């Protein structure tokens, strides 16, 4: 119910469903929209984002595949939606042909930026595009002009967020898949993904500081908007063995973001994945251990919380990392209270935590 299609030539939700059903009946006259297939039809219309050509090509598969099978295979929309007719021009036969035709009209700089933008998930800001799109012939000062040209050619769409001065951009999913394929072919993919991951690491660490102050809700909203991009960045760091960077990003999101948005399980799984990577003992590891210990406590897994927090405390003391030690002591104090009501032990642990917080002049802590 909260899905909104962009208004740039795509069909509105109900028109998209109607078009899909009508075209499906041309292939299979007995096709009907029923409670059993309504969810799959809606999924197809959402994933193809109301693009009439894409919907017609998907409907052409009805009779060969069930709508559930079509929806499941749309992760590779461009492969599935190959046109069936041989009578029209190629660019009208397939979605890929249409995109090839549009892509062929781009300048070299436009096509390079278009490909690099495919690393984003769920949209991006101008600042993010400037960070990810620059390099090898494209300067930061060029990105806005190139982005405007791609928008004029309907390859990039503009999203009005409702926040003053906060325009976002995105690629429709079939378009993003096409651009990503071009990026992979060109050999620039890893560099673009690295710039993307580093940009979102910097954003998360800036947000971590901002979440303590008066702009708490602003930063929470921004992180929520960028959640898909943050996941992509985390996955890239961990898959590439960038353990320290992965720990930094996972830990930056752990304290407030995942907890506030009730994604404790997801946050804990990312932290565990980052902690499983090989890497040197570092404050980032101690911080991640402490945050994982706190999330385990919130999930009422007191045994796991104590184990993680003990490890965090030992590592923090070894490194002289007082922030990590304070966080671990707090976790252990809370476990002592809520696990077995060991009030005296909890008092001692929390007093040690308080002393470190005062030493660090950490008023919030």
């Amino acid at each position: 119910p909260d899905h909104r299609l962009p208004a740039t030539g795509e069909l509105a939700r109900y028109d998209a469903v109607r078009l899909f059903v009508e075209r499906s009946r041309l292939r299979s006259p007995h096709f009907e929209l029923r409670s059993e297939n309504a969810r799959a039809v809606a999924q197809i219309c959402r994933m193809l984002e109301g693009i009439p050509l894409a919907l017609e090509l998907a409907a052409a598969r009805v009779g060969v595949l069930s709508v559930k099978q079509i929806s499941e295979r749309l992760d590779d929309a461009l492969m599935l939606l190959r046109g069936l007719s041989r009578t029209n021009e190629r660019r009208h036969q397939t979605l890929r042909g249409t995109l090839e035709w549009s892509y062929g009209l781009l300048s070299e700089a436009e096509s390079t930026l278009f490909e690099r933008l495919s690393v984003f998930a769920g949209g991006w800001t101008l600042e993010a595009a400037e960070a990810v799109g620059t390099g090898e012939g494209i300067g930061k000062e060029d990105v806005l002009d190139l982005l405007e040209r791609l928008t004029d050619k309907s390859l990039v769409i503009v999203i009005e967020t409702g926040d003053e001065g906060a325009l976002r951009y995105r690629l429709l999913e079939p378009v993003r898949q096409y651009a990503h394929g071009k990026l992979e072919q060109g050999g620039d993919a890893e560099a673009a993904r690295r710039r993307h991951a580093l940009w979102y690491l910097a954003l998360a660490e800036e947000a971590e500081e901002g979440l303590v102050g008066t702009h708490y809700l602003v930063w929470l909203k921004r992180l929520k908007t960028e959640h898909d991009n943050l996941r992509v960045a985390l996955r890239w760091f961990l898959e590439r063995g960038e353990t320290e960077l992965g720990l930094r990003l996972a830990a930056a999101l752990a304290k407030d973001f995942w907890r506030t948005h009730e994604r404790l399980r997801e946050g804990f799984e990312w932290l565990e994945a980052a902690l499983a990577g090989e890497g040197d003992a570092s404050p980032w590891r101690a911080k991640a251990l402490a945050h994982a210990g706190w999330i385990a406590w919130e999930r009422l897994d007191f045994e796991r919380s104590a184990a993680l927090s003990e490890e965090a405390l030992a590592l923090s003391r070894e490194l002289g990392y007082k922030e990590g030690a304070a966080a671990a002591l707090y976790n252990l104090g809370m476990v002592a209270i809520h696990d077995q009501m060991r009030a005296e032990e909890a008092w001692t642990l929390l007093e040690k935590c308080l002393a470190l917080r005062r030493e660090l002049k950490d008023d919030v802590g």
Side-chain angles (χ1 to χ4, degrees), residues 108-339:
E108 182 178 353
E110 289 170 348
S111 62
T112 299
L113 180 63
F114 175 59
E115 293 166 13
R116 291 173 181 173
L117 294 175
S118 69
V119 301
F120 288 102
W124 66 85
T125 61
L126 173 60
E127 294 77 14
E130 289 172 338
V132 174
T134 56
E136 296 186 16
I138 297 180
K140 181 179 178 180
E141 67 280 2
D142 301 322
V143 172
L144 177 57
D145 180 55
L146 293 171
L147 196 56
E148 185 177 3
R149 289 189 227 164
L150 291 172
T151 302
D152 290 341
K153 293 176 171 65
S154 299
L155 290 171
V156 172
I157 62 174
V158 181
I159 305 170
E160 297 280 353
T161 64
D163 296 335
E164 186 177 351
L167 287 178
R168 287 180 64 80
Y169 306 86
R170 68 186 291 249
L171 297 171
L172 297 172
E173 181 55 26
V175 178
R176 191 202 65 78
Q177 291 180 20
Y178 174 83
H180 191 263
K182 290 291 185 181
L183 181 69
E184 292 284 356
Q185 294 171 18
D188 190 32
E190 283 301 288
R193 289 194 190 101
R194 183 173 183 82
R195 290 193 296 270
H196 173 276
L198 291 174
W199 165 261
Y200 283 100
L201 170 59
L203 176 69
E205 291 185 331
E206 184 181 358
E208 186 180 21
E209 298 293 325
L211 287 168
V212 177
T214 56
H215 299 293
Y216 179 82
L217 293 177
V218 174
W219 278 110
L220 272 184
K221 182 178 180 181
R222 187 170 181 186
L223 289 178
K224 184 177 181 180
T225 300
E226 300 291 4
H227 198 173
D228 288 338
N229 280 307
L230 292 164
R231 287 176 175 137
V232 169
L234 271 165
R235 189 174 299 111
W236 190 86
F237 284 139
L238 299 182
E239 288 177 351
R240 297 308 182 277
E242 298 273 9
T243 301
E244 182 172 305
L245 296 177
L247 286 169
R248 284 172 58 183
L249 181 51
L253 296 172
K255 184 177 179 182
D256 288 290
F257 176 63
W258 280 319
R259 178 185 175 197
T260 302
H261 286 288
E262 297 181 353
R263 295 184 179 273
L264 295 178
R265 179 177 178 178
E266 179 183 358
F268 190 73
E269 288 174 351
W270 281 118
L271 285 164
E272 280 202 312
L275 289 165
E278 295 182 5
D280 298 331
S282 68
W284 308 115
R285 185 172 187 82
K287 181 180 179 181
L289 283 165
H291 283 321
W294 177 245
I295 291 179
W297 183 91
E298 291 227 42
R299 299 180 72 197
L300 306 181
D301 188 348
F302 298 122
E303 184 177 351
R304 184 73 175 129
S305 177
L308 288 163
S309 301
E310 290 282 7
E311 188 177 351
L313 181 59
L315 181 57
S316 296
R317 284 173 169 168
E318 176 187 335
L319 298 170
Y321 178 46
K322 294 180 180 178
E323 290 89 344
L329 286 165
Y330 179 78
N331 295 349
L332 292 168
M334 296 300 285
V335 169
I337 291 174
H338 290 276
D339 183 15

Side-chain angles (χ1 to χ4, degrees), residues 19-28 44 48 52-67 70 80-85 93:
L19 174 64
F20 179 82
V21 171
E22 289 174 354
R23 294 299 186 268
S24 296
R25 284 175 179 161
L26 293 178
R27 292 285 299 172
S28 180
I44 291 168
L48 296 179
L53 174 60
L55 290 167
E56 294 201 24
L57 291 170
R61 296 299 185 191
V62 172
V64 179
L65 299 172
S66 69
V67 288
I70 293 171
L80 177 69
L81 301 181
R82 290 177 296 185
L84 301 179
S85 170
Q93 289 180 18

